Amino acid sequence: MPLDPSRAVDDLKRLRDLTGNADGAQRVAWTETWEQARAFLREAVAPTGAAETIDEAGNQWFTLPGNSDTVLILGGHMDSVPNGGWLDGCLNVLAGVEVLRRIAEGEPPLTVRLVSWADEEGARFGRSLFGSSAAAGSMRDQDELRTLKDRDGIALPDALREYGVDLDGALAARSQLENAGAYLELHIEQGPVLESMDLPLGVVLGTFGVERSRVTWRGQAAHAGSTPMDKRRDALAGAAKLALYIRDIAAEVGGGAVCTSGGVVTKPGIVTSVVETAEQLLDQRHLNAGSLARMLAMAQEAAERFAAEENIEVEWERIWSIEPILFDETLIGFADEAIREVAGTSHKLPSGPLHDAAEVSRAGIPTVMLFVQSLRGLSHTKLEDTKEEHLRLSVEALDRLASKTLAWLA
Ligand SMILES: [Zn+2]
């Protein structure tokens, strides 16, 4: 069977009809609709002869044995957010099925496996990347996971048990990646960059590192009528200056830097008082660890300056951070070639969102991702869409990338 990208598009439409409704995709992990999606995948793969296993974390694997110990893995996730789009996650899985069909036709030079990771979205319990973090060995929050409950008060361990997963044993899924030589993932971009450049496909360089801070400004509450302008210690003035200055930081550091002041809570928060405290949330992201550290240092230095100018105090607290995760250079090269072959032009870009591929890469396995253009940059909504001709190109690019990677691993 030669590769037929339109068959993958047809599969996507069938899955949409089976597991979606007027509000969008409803394949939330650890629900019946998700189970239906997994059964759909099982049926789609069956004709290739690839054998199915479900690992200790609930990840669904299909293995096409070849002549080697080294394994090529293609992966994605069948789960969606509630009222989600028809492509997020399942595009990579169903494109992977089409690649399996093509490879199963001949003698696979190496063992090839397709994985549908369990609960990438974390929609029911608020914990993303469940299955891939278990397989990568980076799941260190099992005690916390035990306490998570869904909207109806059902505990995570109880919900997982219904799908054959024992939370205490989930880390045993690590053995799945033991012989992995490379991991490939195709995903919709979920952002506006490729569309704005009029390009169907891009190579993902890695996922952004993130620094999240709480910046607390302290001034003095004072009467809005009786306090002259030059006698004020206005905490909001510091937050306001910083909220604008982060644009300069992003522009100066460049390389895709993004900074967001996502919220400011002021006290006393009444119309007749100068602001005494302003709690500001700051999110900074970059693909380069050094640049990210510089962005944070620039913001902190500027904050000291603004505090002096306004005669107020400022204090920093780190809320959360993660290092940038860079994909494999050789595979980035293959992905770039594959895209040029099918689309003429390629583009390299970072990923803002985290993906299962980031977990696999963190486990030390050579990894790369392909992005296909998202229309209007929308995702996690029923409005999520990609042109069908671009979907077909993306399946072809994944197939070429798989061939190049197989030749390299062999
Ligand atoms: Zn996704």
Side-chain angles (χ1 to χ4, degrees), residues 52-112:
E52 186 198 20
T53 42
I54 293 189
D55 71 20
E56 293 84 347
N59 302 310
Q60 190 180 15
W61 294 85
F62 298 93
T63 304
L64 206 58
N67 230 339
S68 69
D69 290 336
T70 312
V71 175
L72 170 67
I73 303 175
L74 310 174
H77 59 95
M78 291 299 266
D79 70 305
S80 73
V81 295
N83 305 330
W86 69 300
L87 299 169
D88 180 1
C90 56
L91 167 63
N92 6 341
V93 182
L94 295 176
V97 173
E98 186 54 33
V99 174
L100 272 194
R101 288 179 183 130
R102 198 268 302 160
I103 293 174
E105 215 30 30
E107 283 270 292
L110 300 175
T111 298
V112 181

Side-chain angles (χ1 to χ4, degrees), residues 188-308:
I188 51 167
E189 184 200 338
Q190 304 177 286
V193 175
L194 291 172
E195 187 181 34
S196 72
M197 299 179 76
D198 204 18
L199 293 175
L201 295 159
V203 186
V204 186
L205 293 166
T207 55
F208 275 149
V210 184
E211 278 287 356
R212 283 189 196 147
S213 311
R214 181 180 290 114
V215 189
T216 305
W217 304 84
R218 288 198 177 82
Q220 176 62 57
H223 196 287
S226 61
T227 318
M229 297 308 287
D230 63 346
K231 299 284 185 292
R232 294 179 178 211
R233 299 178 58 221
D234 182 355
L236 182 58
K241 284 183 171 178
L242 185 62
L244 295 178
Y245 184 69
I246 56 176
R247 299 172 178 183
D248 297 344
I249 295 176
E252 192 179 323
V253 174
V258 284
C259 302
T260 307
S261 173
V264 181
V265 176
T266 61
K267 285 176 190 159
I270 54 173
V271 71
T272 51
S273 175
V274 173
V275 171
E276 180 156 288
T277 62
E279 254 190 32
Q280 181 170 32
L281 296 172
L282 185 66
D283 177 294
Q284 296 181 295
R285 301 185 189 214
H286 205 283
L287 194 59
N288 178 286
S291 301
L292 183 60
R294 191 170 148 232
M295 286 160 65
L296 179 62
M298 284 171 79
Q300 287 173 332
E301 263 170 51
E304 289 301 328
R305 196 166 71 241
F306 300 147

Side-chain angles (χ1 to χ4, degrees), residues 312-331:
I312 56 181
E313 279 148 32
V314 66
E315 199 180 296
W316 285 73
E317 180 195 345
R318 175 183 271 171
I319 309 175
W320 187 75
S321 72
I322 186 167
E323 293 274 298
I325 293 162
L326 297 176
F327 292 151
D328 183 79
E329 276 188 34
T330 305
L331 292 179

Side-chain angles (χ1 to χ4, degrees), residues 98-155:
E98 186 54 33
V99 174
L100 272 194
R101 288 179 183 130
R102 198 268 302 160
I103 293 174
E105 215 30 30
E107 283 270 292
L110 300 175
T111 298
V112 181
R113 304 184 78 194
L114 174 68
V115 60
S116 169
W117 299 112
D119 203 359
E120 191 268 353
E121 301 284 1
R124 185 167 166 193
F125 293 99
R127 165 52 154 95
S128 308
L129 307 173
F130 178 88
S132 54
S133 69
S138 53
M139 179 186 279
R140 292 194 183 80
D141 53 351
Q142 274 175 311
D143 287 340
E144 203 185 317
L145 288 173
R146 248 180 283 282
T147 68
L148 295 180
K149 289 196 165 69
D150 71 2
R151 261 197 327 220
D152 302 321
I154 298 170

